[in-house]
Amino acid sequence: MSSNSPSNESTWTGYLHGRRVILGVSGSIAAYKAALLARALVARGADVTTVLTEAATRFIAPLTFEALTQNKAYTDADLWTGPGVLHVELARNADLVLIAPATQDLLARVAAGRANDLLSLVVAEFSGPVGLCPAMHTAMWESRATQDAVHRLQSFGYQVLAPDSGPLASGDEGSGRLPEMQVILDFAEGLLAPKDLAGLRVMVTAGPTREPIDPVRMLTNPSSGKMGFALAREAYLRGGSVNLILGPVHDQPPAFIEVKHVQTALDMADAVNRDIHETDVLLMCAAVVDFAPVNSTDTKIEKDGFDDVLRLKRNPDILSGVTAMEKRPFVVGFAAQTDLLLEKARKKMQKKHPDLLFANLVGRGRVFGRDVAAGLLLRPDGSHTEVTVRPKRAVARLILDEVKKGLK
Ligand code: C5P
């Protein structure tokens, strides 16, 4: 299946879902990581066919990839063995060619237009998106030859993922490491995603806020930030420029997204207001704590002297502040309710005036911290869509599809 619209929305996990990927592996020590990559691509629903260079087979066996992908893994030994023209068949039946790791020699060969082994033949024949993930020693990566090859590859329209810095197989430290798996997966998804949000400046707030009572105690909530991360990732992959304003969470945000870290609701309000006039869409996903202690002390409150009363003041409602602006961006609100979902969501819509509101049930292990969500998507005209349980990625896609419709 090569369509961007997966058949089953409720299991959709991203733009690799149902897509045919040729995973090219060349002969770097990082070739062993390609096995983990093959597995991760398959886990995201991709149909993976591996093509190994001769040098790659000295680091890792084709059989490893065959077992992980349930597809034949090809090497130069397969060239001209069958009735068809193998490189043409492989290229014709692929949606993406992803080469990880890509050695200096592989980069140089493809940049020079060489087609002297199966992998370079497939690239030469393929007209779809090509992503290359270089991995080599620092001096090789920084060499004039490699940098020239990278520029040339980019001029062909190929995407090159910059390697990470860190410990290398040689025992040295420096740039040249194959990036983390999640970074490569996002890179691959970015090559397949439609760029229908290009040019849009998207602000996402995510996670909880923390309202300090004293230096060791606080008011907060269990928001994990995962829904906000899904929205940020989705907007980025579709070409939006994303500004993520993030409360304290345990998980790491998507690596390629600019993040502003905040603690309290007041910090978050400041961060939102600072950039709001350069924002086209605000996705107000954060679980902002509604109240803050009137007096937050600099020293720990001792139990003995405490009168058991914590005085609270209301935090500003950030979303309502934005929707009251004369020139406002398109605003999506989120409502977490424990009961009477539609009724309370409608009231929230009338009170806060977002352009869309995603309401979901929380409590009793629902939503907070989980990878799936379900709920109701309300529009200002009173209509709503029920969103059945699905990965937060799929919820994010649906919300951004609605944003796009609303912006028209
Ligand atoms: O009223 P409630 O907290 O349920 O509203 C949820 C929506 O309002 C969310 O989009 C949340 O980010 C936003 N909100 C806000 N400022 C607050 C409280 C909530 O922007 N102080």
Side-chain angles (χ1 to χ4, degrees):
M1 190 182 65
S2 62
S3 135
N4 264 329
S5 309
S7 52
N8 192 347
E9 294 287 331
S10 61
T11 57
W12 186 79
T13 50
Y15 293 98
L16 287 159
H17 198 112
R19 308 307 293 274
R20 301 162 306 178
V21 178
I22 298 229
L23 173 61
V25 184
S26 58
S28 146
I29 176 60
Y32 77 93
K33 296 184 185 170
L36 300 173
L37 178 59
R39 196 186 169 129
L41 291 166
V42 170
R44 277 154 187 79
D47 180 15
V48 179
T49 301
T50 315
V51 176
L52 296 97
T53 64
E54 191 54 40
T57 62
R58 288 196 265 140
F59 288 99
I60 190 160
L63 184 60
T64 305
F65 293 96
E66 294 190 348
L68 292 170
T69 65
Q70 301 288 301
N71 283 325
K72 179 166 169 55
Y74 294 92
T75 65
D76 290 349
D78 298 302
L79 266 169
W80 309 117
T81 53
V85 182
L86 182 59
H87 61 282
V88 177
E89 290 298 314
L90 287 170
R92 189 176 287 154
N93 290 305
D95 298 311
L96 169 70
V97 172
L98 178 67
I99 304 182
T103 58
Q104 176 177 21
D105 195 60
L106 186 282
L107 296 174
R109 275 187 289 135
V110 176
R114 302 284 309 267
N116 59 340
D117 66 356
L118 180 58
L119 182 54
S120 54
L121 275 162
V122 170
V123 177
E125 183 65 34
F126 185 61
S127 54
V130 174
L132 301 122
C133 307
M136 62 198 75
H137 192 264
T138 311
M140 292 169 76
W141 168 247
E142 290 174 353
S143 71
R144 180 77 196 271
T146 300
Q147 291 305 310
D148 278 0
V150 167
H151 288 131
R152 203 166 154 73
L153 291 162
Q154 287 167 333
S155 76
F156 297 168
Y158 297 165
Q159 301 281 327
V160 180
L161 181 66
D164 263 359
S165 277
L168 301 167
S170 59
D172 299 321
E173 291 253 347
S175 61
R177 272 171 70 88
L178 195 68
E180 295 300 322
M181 208 53 62
Q182 187 58 52
V183 174
I184 301 178
L185 292 169
D186 286 333
F187 172 65
E189 279 205 65
L191 291 163
L192 290 166
K195 299 295 171 194
D196 58 343
L197 303 180
L200 276 188
R201 298 161 301 177
V202 181
M203 181 189 284
V204 182
T205 68
T209 61
R210 279 183 183 169
E211 313 302 325
I213 298 168
D214 68 17
V216 295
R217 304 182 183 97
M218 65 186 128
L219 295 178
T220 188
N221 61 57
S223 170
S224 64
K226 283 183 178 173
M227 189 65 232
F229 290 177
L231 287 159
R233 170 175 275 123
E234 178 71 8
Y236 174 84
L237 292 177
R238 285 164 68 166
S241 66
V242 178
N243 178 3
L244 176 62
I245 297 172
L246 180 62
V249 292
H250 292 293
D251 290 3
Q252 283 299 318
F256 40 80
I257 283 171
E258 181 193 326
V259 183
K260 294 190 182 86
H261 294 276
V262 296
Q263 292 283 326
T264 65
L266 285 176
D267 291 345
M268 185 171 277
D270 281 350
V272 168
N273 290 329
R274 202 169 307 129
D275 292 340
I276 201 68
H277 298 297
E278 282 81 48
T279 298
D280 301 305
V281 179
L282 168 64
L283 304 167
M284 192 67 215
C285 190
V288 185
V289 175
D290 292 302
F291 306 97
V294 171
N295 295 311
S296 160
T297 60
D298 289 339
T299 52
K300 185 180 167 187
I301 298 170
E302 294 302 332
K303 286 187 277 285
D304 288 346
F306 187 55
D307 62 6
D308 294 352
V309 176
L310 187 61
R311 284 182 52 76
L312 301 174
K313 62 182 178 219
R314 213 171 269 266
N315 275 327
D317 193 295
I318 304 169
L319 190 157
S320 299
V322 173
T323 56
M325 288 173 178
E326 204 174 313
K327 196 171 167 298
R328 55 179 267 191
F330 189 97
V331 177
V332 183
F334 291 77
Q337 304 295 158
T338 52
D339 62 349
L340 301 175
L341 190 59
L342 184 58
E343 195 183 317
K344 291 191 176 171
R346 282 207 167 120
K347 276 198 189 131
K348 205 145 288 178
M349 194 89 196
Q350 280 157 13
K351 195 169 152 211
K352 300 198 180 195
H353 307 293
D355 300 290
L356 277 176
L357 183 78
F358 182 67
N360 51 20
L361 283 171
V362 295
R364 286 185 263 127
R366 285 179 300 219
V367 181
F368 277 141
R370 296 192 57 195
D371 292 321
V372 295
L376 303 173
L377 192 58
L378 281 78
R379 302 175 196 86
D381 65 6
S383 66
H384 72 270
T385 302
E386 186 175 345
V387 181
T388 52
V389 61
R390 64 193 67 198
K392 285 181 175 170
R393 280 293 310 271
V395 176
R397 184 170 69 140
L398 192 143
I399 290 172
L400 285 165
D401 285 349
E402 279 281 337
V403 168
K404 232 187 78 189
K405 275 191 231 159
L407 281 171
K408 272 191 188 146

